[in-house]
Amino acid sequence: MFKTILVGTDGSEGATRAVQIAADLAASQDGATLHIVSVQKPMSASAIASSEMAVAGSAGAAMEWEEEAKQALDGTLEQSGRDAAREGLTVETHARFGSPAEVLCELAAHLQADLIVVGNRGMQGGRRFLGSVPNTVSHHSPCSVLIADTQ
């Protein structure tokens, strides 16, 4: 039923639980592929202006930040890949910069995913109405969405 499953992670405990749920589900589907994505929001112009990068006036400093962020994403994905390892399961990882919800939906469309798995963190209180990742994904996903209880 679900051959291409996409799950997002930021390396948190809740996201790790979502990866495990997605991996278990994918492993139960013959021939499924699990895509794990980790997304870093790009540094905003105001953050750059208030940082030492503005003082240094260096585009090199911004590139250094981006490289460090990419390394952190890769580290998160490496750990998540180990957490998701199941016999017979194909796991692919994707490091991206952008809005987490937008990237999940765009990548799901590109991969023609059957399912996106997201944790329910951020679904309580005001964030539920102000654009949490699970809420946004559930409204804009090109495929089915499983919001997993990760709390």
Short mmCIF file of all heavy atoms in Angstrom, two decimals, residues 48-96:
data_model
loop_
_atom_site.label_atom_id
_atom_site.label_comp_id
_atom_site.label_asym_id
_atom_site.label_seq_id
_atom_site.Cartn_x
_atom_site.Cartn_y
_atom_site.Cartn_z
N ILE A 48 21.63 37.47 9.96
CA ILE A 48 22.94 37.76 9.38
C ILE A 48 23.37 39.17 9.78
O ILE A 48 24.51 39.39 10.19
CB ILE A 48 22.91 37.61 7.85
CG1 ILE A 48 22.74 36.14 7.47
CG2 ILE A 48 24.19 38.17 7.22
CD1 ILE A 48 22.49 35.90 6.00
N ALA A 49 22.44 40.12 9.70
CA ALA A 49 22.76 41.52 10.02
C ALA A 49 23.19 41.69 11.47
O ALA A 49 24.04 42.52 11.78
CB ALA A 49 21.57 42.41 9.71
N SER A 50 22.60 40.88 12.38
CA SER A 50 22.92 41.03 13.79
C SER A 50 24.06 40.11 14.24
O SER A 50 24.48 40.16 15.39
CB SER A 50 21.68 40.74 14.64
OG SER A 50 21.32 39.38 14.51
N SER A 51 24.58 39.32 13.35
CA SER A 51 25.64 38.38 13.72
C SER A 51 27.01 38.95 13.44
O SER A 51 27.17 40.02 12.87
CB SER A 51 25.47 37.07 12.94
OG SER A 51 25.85 37.27 11.59
N GLU A 52 28.00 38.20 13.83
CA GLU A 52 29.37 38.62 13.56
C GLU A 52 29.70 38.57 12.07
O GLU A 52 30.66 39.16 11.63
CB GLU A 52 30.36 37.77 14.35
CG GLU A 52 30.26 36.29 14.08
CD GLU A 52 31.10 35.46 15.02
OE1 GLU A 52 30.94 35.60 16.25
OE2 GLU A 52 31.93 34.68 14.53
N MET A 53 28.84 37.92 11.28
CA MET A 53 29.05 37.91 9.83
C MET A 53 28.94 39.32 9.28
O MET A 53 29.67 39.69 8.38
CB MET A 53 28.04 37.00 9.14
CG MET A 53 28.37 35.54 9.26
SD MET A 53 27.19 34.56 8.34
CE MET A 53 26.31 33.82 9.69
N ALA A 54 27.99 40.10 9.83
CA ALA A 54 27.82 41.47 9.36
C ALA A 54 29.04 42.31 9.73
O ALA A 54 29.50 43.13 8.95
CB ALA A 54 26.57 42.09 9.94
N VAL A 55 29.56 42.06 10.94
CA VAL A 55 30.74 42.78 11.38
C VAL A 55 31.92 42.41 10.49
O VAL A 55 32.68 43.25 10.04
CB VAL A 55 31.05 42.46 12.86
CG1 VAL A 55 32.36 43.10 13.29
CG2 VAL A 55 29.90 42.92 13.75
N ALA A 56 32.05 41.12 10.24
CA ALA A 56 33.15 40.67 9.39
C ALA A 56 32.92 41.06 7.94
O ALA A 56 33.85 41.18 7.17
CB ALA A 56 33.30 39.15 9.50
N GLY A 57 31.63 41.27 7.59
CA GLY A 57 31.28 41.64 6.22
C GLY A 57 31.71 40.58 5.22
O GLY A 57 32.08 40.89 4.10
N SER A 58 31.61 39.36 5.63
CA SER A 58 32.18 38.30 4.81
C SER A 58 31.13 37.33 4.29
O SER A 58 30.39 36.74 5.06
CB SER A 58 33.21 37.54 5.66
OG SER A 58 33.59 36.36 5.01
N ALA A 59 31.11 37.21 2.97
CA ALA A 59 30.26 36.17 2.38
C ALA A 59 30.81 34.80 2.76
O ALA A 59 30.08 33.84 2.86
CB ALA A 59 30.21 36.33 0.86
N GLY A 60 32.12 34.76 3.00
CA GLY A 60 32.75 33.50 3.41
C GLY A 60 32.21 33.01 4.74
O GLY A 60 32.06 31.81 4.95
N ALA A 61 31.89 33.93 5.64
CA ALA A 61 31.33 33.54 6.93
C ALA A 61 29.95 32.92 6.75
O ALA A 61 29.60 31.96 7.43
CB ALA A 61 31.26 34.74 7.87
N ALA A 62 29.15 33.47 5.84
CA ALA A 62 27.83 32.89 5.56
C ALA A 62 27.98 31.50 4.96
O ALA A 62 27.23 30.59 5.29
CB ALA A 62 27.04 33.80 4.62
N MET A 63 28.95 31.34 4.08
CA MET A 63 29.20 30.02 3.49
C MET A 63 29.67 29.04 4.56
O MET A 63 29.30 27.87 4.54
CB MET A 63 30.22 30.13 2.36
CG MET A 63 29.66 30.82 1.13
SD MET A 63 30.85 31.13 -0.20
CE MET A 63 31.70 29.59 -0.35
N GLU A 64 30.46 29.54 5.52
CA GLU A 64 30.93 28.69 6.60
C GLU A 64 29.74 28.22 7.45
O GLU A 64 29.66 27.06 7.83
CB GLU A 64 31.93 29.45 7.48
CG GLU A 64 32.51 28.62 8.58
CD GLU A 64 33.53 29.40 9.40
OE1 GLU A 64 34.30 30.19 8.81
OE2 GLU A 64 33.55 29.21 10.63
N TRP A 65 28.79 29.16 7.75
CA TRP A 65 27.60 28.78 8.51
C TRP A 65 26.83 27.70 7.75
O TRP A 65 26.38 26.72 8.34
CB TRP A 65 26.70 30.01 8.74
CG TRP A 65 25.40 29.60 9.37
CD1 TRP A 65 25.15 29.45 10.70
CD2 TRP A 65 24.19 29.22 8.70
NE1 TRP A 65 23.86 29.03 10.90
CE2 TRP A 65 23.24 28.87 9.69
CE3 TRP A 65 23.81 29.15 7.36
CZ2 TRP A 65 21.95 28.46 9.38
CZ3 TRP A 65 22.52 28.74 7.06
CH2 TRP A 65 21.60 28.40 8.06
N GLU A 66 26.67 27.89 6.45
CA GLU A 66 25.91 26.93 5.66
C GLU A 66 26.59 25.56 5.67
O GLU A 66 25.92 24.53 5.77
CB GLU A 66 25.74 27.43 4.23
CG GLU A 66 24.81 26.56 3.41
CD GLU A 66 24.46 27.15 2.07
OE1 GLU A 66 24.08 28.33 2.01
OE2 GLU A 66 24.56 26.41 1.08
N GLU A 67 27.91 25.54 5.58
CA GLU A 67 28.64 24.27 5.60
C GLU A 67 28.49 23.58 6.96
O GLU A 67 28.29 22.37 7.02
CB GLU A 67 30.12 24.49 5.28
CG GLU A 67 30.94 23.22 5.25
CD GLU A 67 30.43 22.17 4.26
OE1 GLU A 67 29.94 22.53 3.18
OE2 GLU A 67 30.53 20.96 4.57
N GLU A 68 28.57 24.36 8.04
CA GLU A 68 28.38 23.79 9.37
C GLU A 68 26.96 23.25 9.53
O GLU A 68 26.75 22.18 10.12
CB GLU A 68 28.68 24.83 10.45
CG GLU A 68 30.16 25.15 10.57
CD GLU A 68 30.45 26.29 11.54
OE1 GLU A 68 29.51 26.76 12.23
OE2 GLU A 68 31.62 26.70 11.61
N ALA A 69 25.98 23.99 9.02
CA ALA A 69 24.58 23.53 9.09
C ALA A 69 24.41 22.24 8.29
O ALA A 69 23.73 21.31 8.73
CB ALA A 69 23.65 24.61 8.57
N LYS A 70 25.03 22.16 7.13
CA LYS A 70 24.95 20.95 6.29
C LYS A 70 25.58 19.76 7.02
O LYS A 70 25.04 18.65 6.99
CB LYS A 70 25.66 21.21 4.95
CG LYS A 70 25.75 19.99 4.03
CD LYS A 70 24.44 19.72 3.33
CE LYS A 70 24.60 18.77 2.17
NZ LYS A 70 24.71 17.37 2.52
N GLN A 71 26.70 19.99 7.69
CA GLN A 71 27.34 18.92 8.45
C GLN A 71 26.43 18.43 9.58
O GLN A 71 26.35 17.23 9.85
CB GLN A 71 28.69 19.37 8.99
CG GLN A 71 29.75 19.51 7.92
CD GLN A 71 31.06 20.07 8.46
OE1 GLN A 71 31.20 20.33 9.65
NE2 GLN A 71 32.02 20.27 7.57
N ALA A 72 25.76 19.38 10.25
CA ALA A 72 24.83 19.01 11.31
C ALA A 72 23.66 18.19 10.75
O ALA A 72 23.25 17.18 11.35
CB ALA A 72 24.31 20.25 12.04
N LEU A 73 23.13 18.61 9.60
CA LEU A 73 22.05 17.85 8.95
C LEU A 73 22.52 16.45 8.61
O LEU A 73 21.81 15.47 8.86
CB LEU A 73 21.59 18.56 7.68
CG LEU A 73 20.80 19.86 7.83
CD1 LEU A 73 20.57 20.48 6.45
CD2 LEU A 73 19.49 19.63 8.54
N ASP A 74 23.71 16.36 8.04
CA ASP A 74 24.25 15.04 7.67
C ASP A 74 24.42 14.15 8.90
O ASP A 74 24.15 12.95 8.84
CB ASP A 74 25.57 15.20 6.92
CG ASP A 74 25.40 15.77 5.52
OD1 ASP A 74 24.26 15.75 4.99
OD2 ASP A 74 26.41 16.25 4.96
N GLY A 75 24.87 14.73 10.02
CA GLY A 75 25.02 13.95 11.26
C GLY A 75 23.68 13.45 11.76
O GLY A 75 23.55 12.29 12.18
N THR A 76 22.67 14.31 11.71
CA THR A 76 21.32 13.91 12.12
C THR A 76 20.82 12.78 11.23
O THR A 76 20.25 11.79 11.71
CB THR A 76 20.36 15.12 12.04
OG1 THR A 76 20.80 16.12 12.97
CG2 THR A 76 18.92 14.72 12.33
N LEU A 77 21.03 12.91 9.93
CA LEU A 77 20.56 11.89 8.99
C LEU A 77 21.31 10.58 9.15
O LEU A 77 20.72 9.50 9.01
CB LEU A 77 20.66 12.41 7.56
CG LEU A 77 19.66 13.50 7.21
CD1 LEU A 77 20.01 14.14 5.87
CD2 LEU A 77 18.24 12.95 7.19
N GLU A 78 22.60 10.66 9.44
CA GLU A 78 23.38 9.43 9.66
C GLU A 78 22.82 8.65 10.84
O GLU A 78 22.61 7.43 10.77
CB GLU A 78 24.84 9.79 9.89
CG GLU A 78 25.74 8.57 10.02
CD GLU A 78 27.20 8.97 10.19
OE1 GLU A 78 27.65 9.92 9.54
OE2 GLU A 78 27.88 8.30 11.00
N GLN A 79 22.55 9.36 11.95
CA GLN A 79 21.97 8.71 13.13
C GLN A 79 20.58 8.17 12.83
O GLN A 79 20.24 7.05 13.20
CB GLN A 79 21.93 9.68 14.31
CG GLN A 79 21.34 9.06 15.57
CD GLN A 79 22.13 7.87 16.08
OE1 GLN A 79 23.35 7.95 16.23
NE2 GLN A 79 21.46 6.76 16.33
N SER A 80 19.77 8.96 12.14
CA SER A 80 18.41 8.53 11.81
C SER A 80 18.42 7.31 10.91
O SER A 80 17.58 6.42 11.04
CB SER A 80 17.63 9.67 11.14
OG SER A 80 17.45 10.72 12.04
N GLY A 81 19.37 7.26 9.98
CA GLY A 81 19.51 6.10 9.11
C GLY A 81 19.81 4.84 9.91
O GLY A 81 19.26 3.76 9.63
N ARG A 82 20.67 4.98 10.93
CA ARG A 82 20.95 3.83 11.80
C ARG A 82 19.71 3.44 12.59
O ARG A 82 19.41 2.26 12.75
CB ARG A 82 22.11 4.16 12.75
CG ARG A 82 23.47 4.13 12.08
CD ARG A 82 24.61 4.14 13.09
NE ARG A 82 24.61 5.34 13.92
CZ ARG A 82 25.28 6.45 13.66
NH1 ARG A 82 26.02 6.53 12.56
NH2 ARG A 82 25.25 7.48 14.48
N ASP A 83 18.96 4.45 13.09
CA ASP A 83 17.74 4.17 13.86
C ASP A 83 16.69 3.47 13.01
O ASP A 83 15.89 2.69 13.52
CB ASP A 83 17.13 5.47 14.40
CG ASP A 83 18.00 6.14 15.47
OD1 ASP A 83 18.87 5.48 16.04
OD2 ASP A 83 17.77 7.35 15.71
N ALA A 84 16.69 3.76 11.70
CA ALA A 84 15.66 3.21 10.80
C ALA A 84 16.05 1.87 10.19
O ALA A 84 15.22 1.24 9.54
CB ALA A 84 15.39 4.21 9.68
N ALA A 85 17.27 1.44 10.39
CA ALA A 85 17.75 0.22 9.74
C ALA A 85 16.87 -0.98 10.11
O ALA A 85 16.66 -1.28 11.28
CB ALA A 85 19.19 -0.05 10.13
N ARG A 86 16.33 -1.59 9.10
CA ARG A 86 15.52 -2.81 9.24
C ARG A 86 15.94 -3.73 8.10
O ARG A 86 16.23 -3.27 6.99
CB ARG A 86 14.02 -2.53 9.11
CG ARG A 86 13.45 -1.44 10.00
CD ARG A 86 13.34 -1.90 11.46
NE ARG A 86 12.58 -0.97 12.28
CZ ARG A 86 13.06 0.15 12.83
NH1 ARG A 86 14.31 0.52 12.60
NH2 ARG A 86 12.31 0.90 13.61
N GLU A 87 15.91 -5.02 8.36
CA GLU A 87 16.28 -5.97 7.31
C GLU A 87 15.37 -5.82 6.11
O GLU A 87 14.15 -5.78 6.23
CB GLU A 87 16.20 -7.40 7.86
CG GLU A 87 16.73 -8.43 6.88
CD GLU A 87 16.78 -9.82 7.48
OE1 GLU A 87 16.87 -9.94 8.71
OE2 GLU A 87 16.74 -10.77 6.69
N GLY A 88 15.97 -5.69 4.93
CA GLY A 88 15.22 -5.61 3.69
C GLY A 88 14.66 -4.23 3.37
O GLY A 88 14.00 -4.06 2.36
N LEU A 89 14.91 -3.25 4.23
CA LEU A 89 14.36 -1.91 4.01
C LEU A 89 15.40 -1.01 3.35
O LEU A 89 16.53 -0.91 3.82
CB LEU A 89 13.92 -1.28 5.33
CG LEU A 89 13.37 0.15 5.26
CD1 LEU A 89 12.13 0.22 4.37
CD2 LEU A 89 13.05 0.66 6.66
N THR A 90 15.00 -0.37 2.26
CA THR A 90 15.85 0.61 1.60
C THR A 90 15.60 1.96 2.24
O THR A 90 14.45 2.41 2.35
CB THR A 90 15.52 0.69 0.09
OG1 THR A 90 15.72 -0.61 -0.48
CG2 THR A 90 16.40 1.71 -0.60
N VAL A 91 16.69 2.61 2.69
CA VAL A 91 16.59 3.92 3.34
C VAL A 91 17.44 4.91 2.55
O VAL A 91 18.61 4.64 2.25
CB VAL A 91 17.08 3.86 4.80
CG1 VAL A 91 17.06 5.25 5.43
CG2 VAL A 91 16.25 2.88 5.62
N GLU A 92 16.84 6.03 2.21
CA GLU A 92 17.55 7.12 1.54
C GLU A 92 17.41 8.37 2.40
O GLU A 92 16.37 8.58 3.03
CB GLU A 92 17.00 7.37 0.14
CG GLU A 92 17.20 6.18 -0.79
CD GLU A 92 16.71 6.45 -2.21
OE1 GLU A 92 16.52 7.63 -2.57
OE2 GLU A 92 16.50 5.46 -2.93
N THR A 93 18.46 9.20 2.43
CA THR A 93 18.43 10.41 3.25
C THR A 93 18.57 11.64 2.37
O THR A 93 19.19 11.59 1.30
CB THR A 93 19.54 10.40 4.32
OG1 THR A 93 20.81 10.32 3.70
CG2 THR A 93 19.35 9.23 5.28
N HIS A 94 17.98 12.73 2.87
CA HIS A 94 17.97 13.99 2.12
C HIS A 94 18.19 15.15 3.10
O HIS A 94 17.41 15.31 4.04
CB HIS A 94 16.62 14.20 1.43
CG HIS A 94 16.18 13.03 0.61
ND1 HIS A 94 16.48 12.90 -0.73
CD2 HIS A 94 15.46 11.93 0.94
CE1 HIS A 94 15.96 11.78 -1.19
NE2 HIS A 94 15.33 11.17 -0.19
N ALA A 95 19.22 15.94 2.87
CA ALA A 95 19.47 17.16 3.65
C ALA A 95 19.05 18.34 2.80
O ALA A 95 19.44 18.45 1.63
CB ALA A 95 20.95 17.26 4.02
N ARG A 96 18.24 19.23 3.38
CA ARG A 96 17.72 20.36 2.62
C ARG A 96 17.72 21.63 3.47
O ARG A 96 17.68 21.57 4.70
CB ARG A 96 16.28 20.11 2.16
CG ARG A 96 16.10 18.93 1.22
CD ARG A 96 16.63 19.24 -0.17
NE ARG A 96 16.26 18.25 -1.15
CZ ARG A 96 16.95 17.14 -1.40
NH1 ARG A 96 18.04 16.87 -0.73
NH2 ARG A 96 16.54 16.30 -2.34
#
